[in-house]
Amino acid sequence: MQLEIALDGTAVVLLGDADAARQAILRYRRAGADLAHFDSPAALHAAGALPARPGLVAVVRSSDTHDDGEWAPVLDRYRAAKVPIAREPAAGRRGRVTLVGGGPGSPGLLTADAIEALRDADVVLFDRLAPWRELGRLTTAELVDVGKLPGHHKVPQAEINRLLVDYAQTGAGGRGLNVVRLKGGDPFVFGRGAEEMAACMAAGVPVRLVSGISSSIAVPAAAGIPVTHREMSHSFTVISGHAPLTPEEHTHLAGLGATGGTLVVLMGIANLPHLAAGLRRAGLPLGTPLAVVERGHQAGQRTTVTSLARAEADTAGCANPAVIVIGDVVRAASALGANADGRGLRELADALAGA
Ligand code: SAH
């Protein structure tokens, strides 16, 4: 988290090892502090007397230390002078990568671990499904948009893998950086997180995972649709609709749907007509409810509810990013009345009856 305080020229004394303090320095500068940094008590003494009563003293220490260590005598003197003392977390270790799930796009759905990882990062590689608009508030790291190159092309996966390793190993003039790879939802759900992790491990770069809230659950929920329900569905299957499914796959899914399982389809908008036709051919009842939730947890969220019979016609105007939910749980949606195409509840009920 950045400093939620405007320091506007306030004199701040920052105490801590230069490497551990590298992000705290950026945070205080960004907040407008008039900063004096000392990386050891010796450096402070060499500078002569304690800087005259600063507005704030900040001391950097890693989260596993509980005492003020070498800074204790200095801090005691500031305390005696009634100068407020803030504690700042140490920067993240260099030379490693953290894969962070950013959730479906709302900053409120970042985990506490995700916020910490962002705060401690030197560089963040993000794509557009992650809550990237808020990054400036959450980190002082350099931001690299790998959803888009300067020439507006998506960065190929192999290139992203290479960038992660390069930044970690050779960034900052060979000292290495603490790298965060921020992805939409959860990195291990259609996120190629395993490939990025393997690339880091193969290069000998320490890598860890911070799980995120997956859109496969949270986006239906944003429209009031529970993926399971005690009386309606005891399972849910998350499918990628990116590539057209085979007839065998349609049969398998129709079987799951017919026994009350919920089908959740990601990346499925382009292939929705193919999917709906395939599920009908495979015998999934025409009246099976189907919902498309676009831009879940984001501005412009929209839910369209229809049935398997009318899916193509009723969802023709839907666009990515969207999650498709097929199954009885759609009836449980508490947001049915909020259908943005303006149809009333009666028409929705008709649609769900498979008319
Ligand atoms: N790892 C991600 C999924 C990546 S695949 C996760 O766990 O959520 C990308 C697909 O996720 C999109 O095509 C869309 O189907 C879905 N998606 C992600 N964020 C979404 C959002 N805010 N609203 C609707 N769909 C979203």
Side-chain angles (χ1 to χ4, degrees):
M1 189 71 67
Q2 296 307 288
L3 297 170
E4 302 278 343
I5 178 170
L7 288 164
D8 302 324
T10 305
V12 174
V13 170
L14 180 67
L15 308 172
D17 167 77
D19 203 47
R22 66 190 191 274
Q23 288 146 10
I25 291 171
L26 295 176
R27 283 196 285 275
Y28 277 92
R29 293 234 165 93
R30 198 181 267 189
D34 176 8
L35 195 68
H37 169 234
F38 299 95
D39 64 1
S40 67
L44 185 66
H45 293 311
L50 288 186
R53 210 165 180 288
L56 180 73
V57 171
V59 58
V60 175
R61 58 174 209 196
S62 63
S63 52
D64 47 7
T65 334
H66 294 290
D67 60 51
D68 296 323
E70 56 180 355
W71 295 109
V74 177
L75 292 174
D76 282 345
R77 286 170 63 188
Y78 278 124
R79 237 174 243 123
K82 302 253 185 296
V83 176
I85 296 172
R87 307 208 181 281
E88 283 295 322
R93 270 202 314 282
R94 294 178 184 272
R96 64 170 186 172
V97 171
T98 307
L99 292 182
V100 175
S106 152
L109 293 182
L110 284 165
T111 65
D113 280 359
I115 286 173
E116 239 176 62
L118 288 166
R119 180 196 64 198
D120 297 345
D122 294 309
V123 58
V124 176
L125 286 79
F126 67 97
D127 44 41
R128 294 297 177 102
L129 282 175
W132 58 277
R133 284 190 181 82
E134 284 75 20
L135 282 175
R137 189 171 61 75
L138 297 170
T139 183
T140 51
E142 178 192 347
L143 304 179
V144 180
D145 182 353
V146 291
K148 218 174 75 172
L149 273 179
H152 296 282
H153 293 295
K154 219 170 148 325
V155 180
Q157 188 63 44
E159 175 70 6
I160 295 176
N161 297 351
R162 196 187 61 74
L163 282 172
L164 290 174
V165 169
D166 269 15
Y167 278 118
Q169 287 181 331
T170 63
R175 301 172 70 196
L177 291 172
N178 181 35
V179 184
V180 161
R181 170 68 172 118
L182 180 68
K183 307 174 74 75
D186 183 277
F188 279 4
V189 178
F190 300 130
R192 307 192 72 164
E195 291 166 51
E196 293 177 3
M197 197 168 233
C200 292
M201 288 164 81
V205 172
V207 56
R208 71 188 178 108
L209 176 78
V210 172
S211 297
I213 296 181
S214 178
S215 65
S216 52
I217 297 169
V219 168
I225 303 171
V227 290
T228 69
H229 189 291
R230 219 174 118 74
E231 282 143 31
M232 298 178 189
S233 165
H234 293 173
S235 72
F236 65 101
T237 305
V238 182
I239 314 150
S240 161
H242 182 62
L245 301 182
T246 62
E248 293 70 37
E249 287 170 321
H250 284 141
T251 304
H252 175 63
L253 293 176
L256 289 172
T259 53
T262 305
L263 306 179
V264 178
V265 189
L266 304 190
M267 299 178 280
I269 289 299
N271 280 320
L272 201 157
H274 176 82
L275 176 72
L279 292 175
R280 287 193 299 262
R281 264 199 308 279
L284 190 62
L286 295 181
T288 306
L290 182 150
V292 174
V293 186
E294 298 166 87
R295 297 176 295 276
H297 290 288
Q298 297 177 4
Q301 176 179 317
R302 177 172 81 154
T303 309
T304 303
V305 176
T306 178
S307 65
L308 186 60
R310 306 207 315 217
E312 293 92 322
D314 286 353
T315 65
C318 293
N320 280 317
V323 172
I324 305 165
V325 190
I326 305 170
D328 278 336
V329 288
V330 171
R331 294 182 205 279
S334 47
L336 277 186
N339 202 355
D341 62 9
R343 289 185 300 168
L345 277 174
R346 161 88 60 78
E347 287 153 287
L348 280 168
D350 288 349
L352 291 183

